[in-house]
Amino acid sequence: MDELQFTEMIAQNWQIDLTDKQLEQFDRYYDLLTTWNEKINLTAITDRSEVYEKHFYDSLSLTAVMDLSQVLTIMDVGAGAGFPSIPIKIVFPHLKVTIVDSLNKRITFLKELSDDLGLEDVTLIHQRAEDAGQDPLLREKFDLVTARAVARLNVLAELCLPFARVSGHFAALKGAKAQEEELMAQKAITVLGGKVAKSVSLTLPSDHSDRDIILIEKVKKTPRKYPRQAGKPNRNPIV
């Protein structure tokens, strides 16, 4: 997928018309990503066409399940090189984005990236999600929480749902065949105050890889004991 195909697919599938400024921001994003990737491991995907499809386009697929023009605050858990929140921020500049990541080198990259692209209202937090989720300044404060292929859904639910406000949402961007994960995570989602609102399957236009997006609505407050201490959600997920 080249830049022209990227632009056409975004417009065709999600009625998003990118401005010249936004296209320049994506181009600069690619340059910074590949430059920094030589110093720290940000992504195994470095080919321009693959970055545009498997990172940028894939991140924007979130618009298939939510009207992001109606969202104000986003928490991105374990964003790594900024996916999906930074591509979303480029296209929807009104969003106030907070990113929490446990690796300070990635936070440093995201700081330079945000500054270079001229992105405002991007807050970067170097912390484990388990600890940040117990912070009263962050807990149950966000309209939308996102995570992209970070862990299995029952683990992700514990890491992410505590950040969502009641009536807010958590969107998990997964690879193919996430339905099994969704079934296994039903108890965790319920315990943590959520319910599955929508599940959408997509296919990347050039690569033809399958993607699933699971949208979970926060229907009640998350019990105070969640998220548990660092490492526990992975070692002993709610089942």
Side-chain angles (χ1 to χ4, degrees):
M1 175 182 285
D2 59 23
E3 289 89 332
L4 179 58
Q5 290 172 316
F6 173 68
T7 304
E8 290 175 345
M9 288 294 99
I10 295 297
Q12 177 180 317
N13 293 334
W14 303 313
Q15 292 72 56
I16 296 171
D17 294 318
L18 297 175
T19 65
D20 289 341
K21 177 183 177 180
Q22 289 167 334
L23 289 170
E24 290 171 3
Q25 287 173 312
F26 279 115
D27 182 60
R28 183 60 180 157
Y29 195 164
Y30 172 77
D31 288 342
L32 285 170
L33 175 66
T34 51
T35 298
W36 271 75
N37 203 55
E38 296 176 1
K39 298 182 287 185
I40 63 173
N41 182 27
L42 292 169
T43 177
I45 299 169
T46 56
D47 176 79
R48 179 180 286 271
S49 62
E50 290 193 359
V51 168
Y52 268 79
E53 181 165 20
K54 296 181 180 179
H55 285 326
F56 298 162
Y57 181 91
D58 188 40
S59 294
L60 293 172
S61 66
L62 187 56
T63 59
V65 298
M66 283 206 77
D67 180 1
L68 293 174
S69 68
Q70 301 302 309
V71 174
L72 180 59
T73 56
I74 290 185
M75 164 63 83
D76 194 1
V77 175
F83 309 120
S85 55
I86 298 299
I88 290 169
K89 171 67 175 175
I90 290 172
V91 176
F92 299 92
H94 74 281
L95 292 171
K96 298 179 185 296
V97 173
T98 300
I99 295 173
V100 61
D101 197 283
S102 61
L103 188 62
N104 198 42
K105 289 181 180 180
R106 289 195 290 257
I107 293 293
T108 302
F109 162 71
L110 293 170
K111 174 68 166 63
E112 178 169 320
L113 176 68
S114 299
D115 290 345
D116 192 284
L117 299 185
L119 302 178
E120 299 178 351
D121 291 321
V122 176
T123 301
L124 304 169
I125 299 173
H126 173 220
Q127 196 171 22
R128 290 187 67 107
E130 295 97 323
D131 298 326
Q134 291 290 354
D135 185 338
L137 296 177
L138 300 172
R139 187 179 178 90
E140 298 187 320
K141 293 292 193 286
F142 296 89
D143 299 332
L144 176 63
V145 185
T146 61
R148 183 172 176 257
V150 176
R152 293 187 69 82
L153 187 58
N154 55 351
V155 176
L156 279 182
E158 182 170 350
L159 299 179
C160 295
L161 275 171
F163 292 111
R165 63 174 176 79
V166 174
S167 77
H169 292 83
F170 160 45
L173 287 75
K174 309 291 291 183
K177 300 178 181 178
Q179 292 85 357
E180 180 182 343
E181 282 191 42
E182 184 181 333
L183 288 172
M184 292 180 62
Q186 286 294 338
K187 179 179 178 181
I189 291 168
T190 301
V191 166
L192 295 158
K195 71 171 184 179
V196 174
K198 190 183 297 185
S199 189
V200 175
S201 296
L202 304 165
T203 302
L204 296 182
S206 298
D207 180 77
H208 303 300
S209 297
D210 294 326
R211 296 288 189 270
D212 287 322
I213 305 175
I214 302 167
L215 185 67
I216 298 167
E217 182 182 359
K218 182 80 167 277
V219 295
K220 61 182 180 180
K221 287 191 173 186
T222 300
R224 284 298 314 173
K225 70 175 184 177
Y226 299 109
R228 292 166 291 168
Q229 292 179 337
K232 284 190 175 181
N234 275 295
R235 290 194 303 268
N236 300 296
I238 302 169
V239 291

